[in-house]
Amino acid sequence: MTAPPAIELKGISKSFGPVQANKDISIRVMPGTIHGIIGENGAGKSTLMSILYGFYKADKGEIFIKGKKAHIPDSQAAIAAGIGMVFQHFKLVENFTVLENIILGAEDGRFLKPSIAKARRSLIELAEDYGLHVEPDALIQDIGVGMQQRVEILKALYRQADILILDEPTGVLTPAEADQLFRILDRLREEGKTIILITHKLREIMDTTDTVSVMRRGEMTATVKTSETSPAELAELMVGRKVLLRVDKQPAKPGEVVLDIKNLHVRDEKGVERLKGIDLQVRAGEVVGIAGVAGNGQSELLEVLGGYADGTGSITVNGQSLDLTGKNSDGQSRRARGIAHVPEDRQREGLIMDFAAWENVAFGYHNDAAYRSGILMNNAAIREDAEGKMERFDVRPPNPKLAAKNFSGGNQQKIVLAREIERNPDLLLIGQPTRGVDIGAIEFIHEQIIALRDKGKAVLLVSVELDEIMALSDRIAVMFDGHIMGERLPDQTDEKELGLLMAGITDTDKPHSVEEVQQNLSFAGGDQGA
């Protein structure tokens, strides 16, 4: 006798005012499988799963769990029904320990001591069963994002979840951490757990899932066996048109040196040296990509170049020295020198989330003559400029009055890109350009970066996505523990060689064990939780 679906949704619809997020969606998820749900930002994936988890109430439709109709008015009801959800932005208390976070909301009574003792025993068992090893007494604020994600999974398993929903689980992970996560998911599937994986990364879908459902503009367009489809077919189903899954570009024509870095050192607020004598050049008309596991100095490099941090050494742009300390080393001074910056964290550093899109478009450039009327801001001119930028960069919805927080991640990124790229900078600093961005927006963002290069501009690109580095870069510099380990040309290297350099191994012709690579990554502090 065939087992009923672990989850079945029938005719689910949900609207937020005039916006219909889900339109008559039906989906079946079989037990003991990994079921992928993909779609562009704003396609309705997270809304659908939030309905299943009790965060939202559907306007109409039915939910069945293991063949029985279920009423899920809130997340407590979902947990009681055996459903756990790991959100893209973790729901952990940072100054609590791992154990305290795991039992939070699931205490056995008024006294915490018995609950903590029980959780500690369960944690040991779960770690052995699923390979989810964590340090129970570590504070959340002291562990990496990979380990924090394990804590979220352990929270769900501790509450005896048989069905796990993971929303964009690799959006904040390094490649090594992502690989480890998928090994854990395979183990969970082997143990009979049902997993729903929300992602926009086609490679993850193809490598990990048994079945995949595709959503577009609030509707379910297809559900197929993963083994019977292809990345190109899934991309077309997601976007509604054929999508170029590679970067189409002509060979670079490098010109004069725009950015020249010599012996750059940076220390963090605790006095720890993060950059240890960096030497690097970027020429007009080329993209130089910085590859490396997160936490090895790439962020600090962007920060000092963008005027967010102090440093020592020498940096010149178009032959003129930049101040590395003092009042003339800030972002405003950098912009005056022809440097534009798309930061790694768009929500914390690139946008003010409660402000309107038109206000965000002007940030950093609000003193420009075009934006002023005498001593006052010309808000009408700024709004008109924002409308043009949003149209050219296909920001959806094209409403400059909408707060930044109400746009999807991909459209937030487009707002930042429009603001910086349309300034026609001599040097573009761009960090994690497609983090959390869907396939259609990725294609567009890549096109904009190459178009700027082809106009003779210099681009310094930082990304933890090796395939993105390989596709966009004309030269690749690899960072490890605050050093540049070497430079490579994309057509003369591969991901294996780059991976060894990222682990601090310069003798890339010699065979190296997995243990040696992992030990080096852990030493650098980048592979947290892997």
Side-chain angles (χ1 to χ4, degrees), residues 387-409:
E387 287 175 1
K389 285 182 168 63
M390 293 175 75
E391 180 180 354
R392 289 188 291 276
F393 276 70
D394 192 28
V395 178
R396 304 177 192 174
N399 181 1
K401 296 180 181 179
L402 200 63
K405 65 184 179 184
N406 292 326
F407 291 90
S408 68

Side-chain angles (χ1 to χ4, degrees), residues 42 60 103 122 176 239 262 266 268 353 396 408 417 508 520:
K60 67 174 185 177
I103 68 168
S122 295
V239 181
K262 292 179 180 176
V266 171
D268 64 17
M353 300 302 290
R396 304 177 192 174
S408 68
L417 285 163
T508 56
N520 277 29

Side-chain angles (χ1 to χ4, degrees), residues 58-341:
D59 297 332
K60 67 174 185 177
E62 297 176 313
I63 298 174
F64 294 83
I65 299 175
K66 298 177 183 177
K68 296 181 179 179
K69 189 173 180 179
H71 176 58
I72 305 180
D74 52 37
S75 57
Q76 289 300 319
I79 292 168
I83 301 171
M85 187 163 180
V86 179
F87 292 88
Q88 183 176 3
H89 302 290
F90 305 144
K91 309 292 184 182
L92 300 172
V93 181
E94 291 202 349
N95 60 348
F96 278 24
T97 67
V98 168
L99 267 178
E100 290 167 342
N101 271 278
I102 285 172
I103 68 168
L104 190 62
E107 302 88 348
D108 289 330
R110 290 186 299 167
F111 301 103
L112 283 178
K113 195 171 181 180
S115 293
I116 289 176
K118 175 187 173 185
R120 192 180 295 275
R121 290 192 300 270
S122 295
L123 210 57
I124 293 170
E125 294 173 4
L126 291 169
E128 292 301 320
D129 289 345
Y130 302 113
L132 285 161
H133 298 282
V134 295
E135 173 50 55
D137 299 312
L139 293 174
I140 295 298
Q141 64 194 22
D142 294 335
I143 63 177
V145 290
M147 194 66 73
Q148 289 180 28
Q149 191 170 67
R150 290 189 189 190
V151 176
E152 287 280 24
I153 294 172
L154 283 165
K155 275 175 58 179
L157 295 177
Y158 180 74
R159 289 159 172 76
Q160 300 183 324
D162 292 319
I163 300 159
L164 274 176
I165 305 166
L166 290 94
D167 189 0
E168 298 287 358
T170 63
V172 294
L173 300 185
T174 67
E177 289 169 337
D179 289 343
Q180 177 65 13
L181 170 66
F182 290 127
R183 286 193 289 271
I184 291 168
L185 296 186
D186 281 339
R187 185 73 174 271
L188 291 168
R189 173 172 52 186
E190 290 171 5
E191 296 293 328
K193 304 294 184 184
T194 303
I195 297 162
I196 301 175
L197 177 65
I198 305 172
T199 183
H200 63 268
K201 297 183 179 180
L202 295 178
R203 184 166 65 176
E204 293 177 0
I205 287 291
M206 297 304 298
D207 291 347
T208 309
T209 65
D210 302 295
T211 308
V212 55
S213 295
V214 186
M215 293 184 66
R216 185 169 75 243
R217 297 185 180 181
E219 297 183 278
M220 192 68 69
T221 60
T223 294
V224 295
K225 289 185 177 179
T226 309
S227 60
E228 297 176 358
T229 188
S230 67
E233 182 183 17
L234 291 176
E236 186 171 353
L237 286 168
M238 285 170 61
V239 181
R241 59 175 174 80
K242 290 190 179 297
V243 177
L244 192 65
L245 296 178
R246 56 181 174 79
V247 177
D248 190 11
K249 64 177 184 177
Q250 298 298 314
K253 299 176 181 178
E256 297 295 320
V257 174
V258 173
L259 174 66
D260 193 4
I261 303 172
K262 292 179 180 176
N263 196 30
L264 179 62
H265 292 258
V266 171
R267 292 183 181 274
D268 64 17
E269 64 277 2
K270 296 179 181 178
V272 177
E273 193 171 27
R274 296 300 184 182
L275 295 183
K276 305 173 181 179
I278 296 292
D279 295 313
L280 183 69
Q281 288 186 337
V282 185
R283 295 178 176 272
E286 72 169 350
V287 177
V288 174
I290 304 292
V293 176
N296 280 276
Q298 308 96 306
S299 296
E300 289 77 9
L301 178 61
L302 287 180
E303 286 170 2
V304 72
L305 289 171
Y308 294 2
D310 292 343
T312 61
S314 168
I315 301 176
T316 63
V317 173
N318 291 325
Q320 295 185 332
S321 295
L322 295 181
D323 290 334
L324 301 185
T325 58
K327 65 179 181 179
N328 292 323
S329 66
D330 62 1
Q332 193 71 25
S333 300
R334 296 292 196 261
R335 285 186 284 273
R337 298 290 296 276
I339 301 172
H341 186 188

